[in-house]
Amino acid sequence: MTTFFRTAGLAAVLALTAFAAQAQTTLKLAHPVPETDLQQNLALEFKRVVEEKTGGEVTVQIFPNGQLGNDQQMIDGTRAGIIDVSLIGLNNYTGLVPEAGAFELPFIFPTREVAYKVLDGAPGQEVAKQMETHGLKLLGYGENGYRNMTNNRGPIRVPDDLKGLRMRVNNSKALNDMFELLGANPQQLPVAELYTALETGVVDAQDHPIGVVVSFKFNEVQKYLSLTQHAYSALGLTMNKAKFDNLTPEQQAAVTEAAKAAIDLQRGLVQAKEEEMIAGLEAEGMEVNRDVDAAAFQAAIKPVWDNYVAENGDVLLNQVLETAK
């Protein structure tokens, strides 16, 4: 009998220990932008739903504003399991999945609805499948938004207005190719260094979605905002695949549901608040122009699409165009 109680007691202790370990699962979520950005809203909603759906068995700790490194460092950290979840511009993953550059091609998504259809559909899932081979579980595509140009020289209405501008660019090859083709001088810089670079004249211009212009306060060092909407930027919400696989099926379902809820919320907020943010920039002294000759830009950038196909083939691109119909 004593042996029985000892065994039963040991089993109970082990069960409690296992439960405690499960209850202490914490996911570290990192993103590169300030807490004032709508990406933080996505992170907070993800945290709320995960914790609610798991009854507190899984908690989420958010590290905003590049606290855990720049974009590439966060991707590397997530692949290594040092970071559990990252929310980063999709362009930063093209080093791992070059074909994903199709989503970054200028003017490929005429509307947000088309972008959502492609990203949430077969093309987006194909990229997600390829990310798994690099140790990443893609939970979904958040919205950075349509990229627009700011500078200190004057309004940008036609392609020639870009000639000679020292343009900060991200690591999207398509956008680098576009600015070079249009006569600007593209210079890659991390977003964390961009405010100072604009302030000191290292670069004259940059392109980002409206929310990023606001959250990084680029209007303080840029005079002109041109609503070129030349490219749509998605966010990749990715998780360390081994960490995801080690969760219980119920916890995996909670994480998946939380990602969808958070992305839906953030996409809605971006759309609802964009015009309000533009009005706020105007009120603070930015000169905003909407009279952009989109047709002229679209005609001028055709070689960028040709370059993409030459380097990556046209399989994913054709899938994108077919899904977008």
Side-chain angles (χ1 to χ4, degrees):
M1 184 68 71
T2 306
T3 303
F4 169 79
F5 282 118
R6 266 202 212 108
T7 305
L10 179 59
V13 169
L14 290 172
L16 285 170
T17 302
F19 176 79
Q22 190 180 53
Q24 290 170 6
T25 300
T26 299
L27 302 179
K28 296 189 290 294
L29 186 159
H31 67 73
V33 295
E35 291 173 84
T36 52
D37 194 279
L38 295 176
Q39 292 180 43
Q40 175 75 356
N41 294 73
L42 190 160
L44 289 169
E45 180 70 358
F46 179 78
K47 170 184 170 68
R48 184 189 72 77
V49 178
V50 165
E51 293 177 357
E52 179 185 287
K53 295 279 184 185
T54 63
E57 288 178 0
V58 181
T59 59
V60 178
Q61 189 176 6
I62 300 170
F63 296 87
N65 209 22
Q67 290 177 25
L68 300 187
N70 60 30
D71 293 331
Q72 190 56 55
Q73 289 167 334
M74 282 188 274
I75 291 173
D76 293 343
T78 306
R79 293 179 67 196
I82 300 166
I83 299 169
D84 301 304
V85 184
S86 290
L87 179 63
I88 301 170
L90 189 62
N91 60 284
N92 296 287
Y93 293 93
T94 53
L96 297 176
V97 185
E99 298 94 322
F103 302 149
E104 299 289 319
L105 288 170
F107 299 104
I108 193 165
F109 295 135
T111 67
R112 282 183 161 91
E113 288 67 34
V114 169
Y116 301 159
K117 187 179 177 186
V118 169
L119 293 166
D120 298 341
Q125 293 312 303
E126 175 58 32
V127 169
K129 205 184 305 177
Q130 292 187 45
M131 282 197 186
E132 291 200 359
T133 66
H134 299 285
L136 295 169
K137 170 74 175 176
L138 184 77
L139 300 175
Y141 297 95
E143 175 158 333
N144 213 2
Y146 278 103
R147 303 184 81 89
N148 299 284
M149 301 182 199
T150 72
N151 79 102
N152 281 322
R153 191 170 70 185
I156 294 170
R157 297 187 172 94
V158 295
D160 278 353
D161 291 331
L162 284 169
K163 285 185 175 172
L165 276 178
R166 294 190 303 275
M167 172 72 69
R168 177 271 176 185
V169 291
N170 63 18
N171 56 5
S172 164
K173 187 173 189 313
L175 293 182
N176 274 263
D177 286 353
M178 182 188 84
F179 286 120
E180 190 169 353
L181 177 68
L182 298 181
N185 298 314
Q187 298 181 37
Q188 288 193 11
L189 280 172
V191 69
E193 299 173 17
L194 181 51
Y195 184 101
T196 302
L198 292 166
E199 186 177 37
T200 57
V202 171
V203 290
D204 311 306
Q206 64 89 44
D207 77 313
H208 265 111
I210 298 298
V212 177
V213 174
V214 171
S215 60
F216 279 95
K217 300 182 179 179
F218 293 144
N219 59 296
E220 295 179 351
V221 288
Q222 294 275 267
K223 175 66 177 171
Y224 300 96
L225 166 63
S226 299
L227 300 179
T228 51
Q229 295 197 321
H230 53 277
Y232 178 87
S233 284
L235 300 166
L237 181 64
T238 59
M239 184 169 177
N240 176 272
K241 188 175 183 306
K243 185 82 171 194
F244 181 86
D245 291 344
N246 285 333
L247 297 175
T248 67
E250 295 77 17
Q251 291 170 347
Q252 289 178 357
V255 166
T256 303
E257 289 175 38
K260 185 180 186 314
I263 287 168
D264 287 347
L265 171 77
Q266 191 245 0
R267 285 176 176 177
L269 286 173
V270 170
Q271 292 188 59
K273 292 183 175 292
E274 191 166 80
E275 285 300 325
E276 179 186 319
M277 288 190 282
I278 291 170
L281 292 170
E282 285 185 296
E284 291 181 19
M286 267 196 128
E287 184 177 314
V288 178
N289 72 285
R290 300 173 185 268
D291 55 332
V292 174
D293 190 343
F297 275 100
Q298 288 172 23
I301 58 82
K302 187 180 180 305
V304 176
W305 285 46
D306 296 337
N307 289 347
Y308 169 85
V309 172
E311 293 174 7
N312 302 291
D314 62 0
V315 175
L316 185 63
L317 176 58
N318 286 338
Q319 196 177 23
V320 168
L321 296 175
E322 184 62 31
T323 305
K325 282 182 182 177

